[in-house]
Amino acid sequence: MSETGNRLRKLLESPNFDPQNYVKQLSQQSDGDRDLQEHRQKIQNLADETAQNLKKNVYKNYRQFIETAKEISYLESEMYQLSHILTEQKSIMESITQALLSTDKDETSKEMQAAFPKETEEVKQRTLTSLLEKVEGGKNIMDTPGRHLIYNGDLVEFDVDNMSPIQKVHAFLMNDCLLIATWLPNRRGTVKYKYNNLYDLESFAVVNVKDNPPMKDMFKILMFPDSHIFQAENSKIKKEWLEILDETKKNKVTKDRHKKEEEIPASPARAEVSTNPFDEDNDKPADAEENADLSLEWIQELPEDLDVCIAQRDFEGAVDLLDKLNEYLKDQPVTQKVKELRSKVDNRVRQLTEVLVFELSPDRSLRGGPKATRRAVSQLIRLGQSTKACELFLKNRAAAVQTAVRQLRIEGATLLYIHKLCNIFFTSLLETAKEFEMDFAGNTGCYSAFVVWSRSTMRMFVDAFSKQVFDSKESLSTAAECVKVAKEHCQQLTEIGLDLTFTLQSFLVKDVKAALQSYKDIIIEATKHRNSEEMWRRMNLMTPEALAKLKDEMRSCGMASFEHYTGDDCWVNLSYTIVAFTKQMMSFLEEGLKLYSPELHMVLLESLREIILVAVQHVDYSVRCEQDPEKKTFILQNATFLHDTVLSVVERRFEEGVGKPAKQLQDLRKSTWPVRINPESTTSVV
């Protein structure tokens, strides 16, 4: 760049540059127009050079931006994996810590109960009584003897589906049940809550809900078939609720077991002589109990091994240990030691089931497709929970399909969106069906549940389909093409023996019927409008190309005899109204056949009949009213084309598309020729 250009650049880049003063000084110093033009050219050259440099910098930085974006994506993936690993490690450490401290807690609680048995019970009962006085409808809760308060606090209940807050509640945890009372905000006096629900501790399971800001400090209570989500004030209170609920449930199980054992009376020994020779084997119960060997090392360590497997998410290993134990105890007598071992193992089985249920819950990540659920489903089936596994698997897949459909962006043409929608939905349905058949191959009783689930998901698909195709008032041709695409995708399910075509048609019949009737009304109105302006003149297409194009259109409509109504020139011996009606009529018929289903047979047939009657009645009226012999002959020629060609093609094409003849169309064609003239009528039906 020249020295003048450098000075100009520095001047323009200076922070104190004032454009108005610069232009003023430049005008005063210039001798004429030429100086101003030269200076303008210099500024323009400087602007072009600056733009070029800026473009180069953009290209240079653009490459760096792409590389940086890739690195960020890689780092994000690695951070996600690291977070997942840390979460698993945290849960393992918490499980191990809880297992190590559980023994100390049990011993401490036993010492406290032994030291202050009566005082603790009385204080807890008095506390519960005073608290229940604040609950409307909770007076009968203390009727159960021995019931006392363990823990209580305020919670917020959330909706399970959309995670929105429902109401503020106060929870009372007792030694055998959980009371939920709703908060009365405008109530004065001692009563502040209203009785809502009372749940037995054995009727529900408690599951921790992973924090997902702003949704945090939550836990879920699972009760078949419902579930409830509650939010604590902070993470500390949430942890206390989870620990105390788990400990209280365990204490109740232990207490109930001891109570049942104490209720069994010890039968006195009777020395009776039996006359039955087959009773010899039944006289040795004491010896049989001694044969149940539970001193094996793997049996002694089985409860701890199950805890480790659950903490490490080694579900297969845990179920393998349970199968090994069941196989070993299958031929062993049911002794007291065996019952105690079974009780310990059953607690672990419940914990394992709760973890597997959480793995299949829709709250978990839905990535990975149906194969990602195979691990949890297979282990639940091995635990004898095939019904629960089936229910959770189908709920998980329904949430995944719904999420995929919602994430599909509505952009571009409707037909393109429907192609994407059908591809996502039916591919997901096919993959789910194959995975279901693989997972539940030995549980044929679950197949009916899958059929019911398929129907419900099809309803969800049809809602999204109809909203885009029919609610947006698309043309009948677009709607017909979209329905055709959906039916073709639905046929893919027949390869696994699942035919949902009838279900799809039954869900669409209402919208398709409305679309056919709406388009029928449009055709009738357009035909009446053309009839009102009819001059009964031959068509002049002006050019041979236009005539050839019309011949192709009529040939595609099935009008092979249309050639007889054309000559060597560009004239057509038919009126514009009849030709336009023919094309519109055949287009409606073809689109209607694409949408056809047995439920729509009469709808399509009556629509065709109403459209044809509008044209036939107009021709009938024109023949009666026309006085010019030449025009009357031309009208009769159009009537002949309408009767012999158009109606015949409509009748034949309908029979080909439907598979059976239409008697109504046959009767209509027979009744329209020869043209019936009513001398007393001079009113046109237009």
Side-chain angles (χ1 to χ4, degrees), residues 431-472:
E431 291 177 353
T432 301
K434 291 180 178 179
E435 185 65 25
F436 185 90
E437 188 175 12
M438 182 180 299
D439 292 344
F440 298 92
N443 298 274
T444 54
C446 297
Y447 279 71
S448 58
F450 178 76
V451 174
V452 174
W453 175 85
S454 301
R455 182 179 176 84
S456 64
T457 52
M458 183 64 74
R459 164 58 71 186
M460 182 269 296
F461 164 76
V462 170
D463 289 342
F465 181 92
S466 298
K467 183 178 180 181
Q468 188 65 22
V469 175
F470 296 108
D471 294 352
S472 58

Side-chain angles (χ1 to χ4, degrees), residues 332-396:
Q332 300 293 335
V334 182
T335 64
Q336 184 62 32
K337 292 183 178 180
V338 172
K339 290 181 179 179
E340 293 177 358
L341 178 61
R342 286 284 190 188
S343 177
K344 294 180 181 179
V345 172
D346 288 344
N347 290 334
R348 272 70 177 186
V349 171
R350 280 193 290 271
Q351 295 178 13
L352 177 60
T353 303
E354 292 174 1
V355 174
L356 292 174
V357 167
F358 180 69
E359 285 292 313
L360 291 174
S361 66
D363 297 334
R364 298 281 290 172
S365 176
L366 299 175
R367 297 179 182 178
K371 293 182 180 179
T373 63
R374 183 182 302 172
R375 186 183 180 208
V377 169
S378 61
Q379 303 314 313
L380 276 177
I381 294 175
R382 291 178 63 187
L383 290 173
Q385 302 282 346
S386 57
T387 303
K388 181 179 291 186
C390 175
E391 178 188 0
L392 293 171
F393 172 78
L394 294 178
K395 282 185 178 180
N396 181 281

